[in-house]
């Protein structure tokens, strides 16, 4: 009687080294394929995130679109809520437009989104190890408010510059200023000129006086600590400087009121 086949009559042949290597190689290729697919997905998501603001710039061109800022979105996510009432550019006091422009970006009508003269000065100061001054234009601040985050970093600034250039190319100067004045932060949960005017002075954005407008303008760099409605001595002094500049701003704001 032949016992080589075992009880079941089936030959039991151990796997060869070549077969074991084939299985291991197949598993390795499987993991590589999975990792490659995951990296492709992550890369696709990263590219989409980077390109999304440029698509939104085009979508935000019509005047009936009223976008919100990333800070407003943050307040919604954390269930804090916010106050913002959109107003058209023509319903905002020219006093505020002049004050904000002369305080934040005096060359607004002349540059292409970035004030390269100021930017070169900042880069030079940084390379020499000196403290840098602000060189953000209104287009740069608008891009930051709509698409990026607060805080000083080279990464954010690197993303901010091309966004400002594209936005300035796509939007008119009036649309740019309208967007900026409707998303700027003027206090905790206070966004836009209308909400700021009513919160700090009890008037509409259209009724702001030269003094009130100057106080709002100088509060913009640090709205959480600078209270336009209850200004200290330093804030009042800055407001006086901006009020005088705004009174002489005729040649600087032609792109907005021609």
């Amino acid at each position: 009687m032949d016992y080589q086949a075992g009880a079941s009559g089936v030959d039991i042949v151990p796997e060869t080294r070549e077969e074991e290597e084939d299985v291991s190689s197949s598993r390795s290729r499987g993991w590589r394929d999975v990792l490659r697919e995951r990296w492709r997905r992550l890369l696709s998501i990263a590219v989409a995130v980077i390109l999304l603001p440029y698509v939104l710039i085009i979508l935000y061109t019509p005047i009936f679109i009223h976008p919100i800022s990333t800070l407003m979105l943050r307040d919604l996510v954390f269930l804090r809520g916010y106050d913002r009432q959109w107003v058209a550019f023509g319903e905002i006091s020219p006093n505020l437009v002049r004050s904000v422009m002369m305080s934040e970006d005096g060359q607004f009508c002349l540059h292409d989104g970035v004030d390269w003269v100021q930017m070169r000065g900042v880069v030079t100061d940084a390379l020499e190890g000196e403290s840098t001054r602000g060189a953000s234009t209104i287009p740069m601040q608008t891009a930051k408010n709509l698409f990026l985050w607060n805080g000083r970093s080279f990464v954010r600034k690197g993303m901010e510059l091309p966004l400002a250039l594209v936005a300035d190319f796509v939007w008119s100067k009036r649309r740019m200023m309208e967007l900026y004045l409707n998303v700027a932060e003027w206090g905790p949960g206070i966004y836009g000129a209308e909400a700021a005017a009513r919160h700090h002075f009890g008037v509409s954005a259209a009724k702001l006086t030269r003094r009130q407008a100057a106080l709002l303008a100088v509060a913009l760099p640090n709205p959480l600590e600078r209270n336009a409605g209850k200004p200290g001595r330093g804030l009042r002094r800055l407001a006086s400087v901006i009020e005088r500049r705004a009174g002489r701003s005729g040649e600087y704001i032609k792109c907005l009121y021609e």
Side-chain angles (χ1 to χ4, degrees), residues 153-205:
S153 72
F154 289 111
V155 173
R156 197 209 72 193
K157 191 63 68 175
M159 298 174 68
E160 191 177 291
L161 289 175
L163 285 169
L165 292 169
V166 173
D168 192 82
F169 178 78
V170 174
W171 299 333
S172 68
K173 293 291 187 179
R174 284 174 63 96
R175 178 60 172 166
M176 179 74 73
M177 185 64 77
E178 179 182 71
L179 287 167
Y180 178 60
L181 292 178
N182 275 286
V183 299
E185 185 182 24
W186 262 295
I190 306 299
Y191 298 97
E194 185 70 15
R198 294 189 180 279
H199 176 79
H200 291 296
F201 304 113
V203 299
S204 69

Side-chain angles (χ1 to χ4, degrees), residues 98-106 214 217-221 242 245:
R98 294 189 186 99
S99 294
V100 167
M101 189 168 161
M102 299 312 294
S103 176
E104 298 289 293
D105 186 4
V218 297
L220 276 172
I242 295 305
R245 290 180 182 175

Side-chain angles (χ1 to χ4, degrees), residues 41-143:
R41 290 179 181 177
L42 289 174
L43 182 60
S44 298
I45 292 172
V47 170
V49 169
I50 292 172
L51 293 180
L52 179 60
Y54 296 93
V55 175
L56 292 176
I57 285 174
I58 297 173
L59 295 178
Y60 290 168
T61 302
I63 60 174
F64 58 83
I65 301 296
H66 302 163
I68 65 173
S69 69
T70 52
L71 288 179
M72 295 181 208
L73 186 60
R74 177 206 62 187
D75 289 343
L76 288 176
V77 169
F78 287 99
L79 304 178
R80 291 198 288 252
Y82 62 84
D83 184 11
R84 196 280 293 272
Q85 301 124 46
W86 187 277
V87 286
F89 178 80
E91 298 173 2
I92 299 173
S93 170
N95 291 325
L96 182 62
V97 175
R98 294 189 186 99
S99 294
V100 167
M101 189 168 161
M102 299 312 294
S103 176
E104 298 289 293
D105 186 4
Q107 301 300 312
F108 175 71
C109 286
L110 302 178
H111 60 62
D112 57 0
V114 177
D115 189 333
W116 295 110
V117 175
Q118 292 290 328
M119 189 60 63
R120 280 193 294 270
V122 170
V123 172
T124 300
D125 290 344
L127 292 176
E128 294 177 353
E130 299 179 7
S131 59
T132 58
R133 59 188 182 277
S136 291
T137 61
I138 286 175
M140 291 168 66
Q141 293 180 56
T142 306

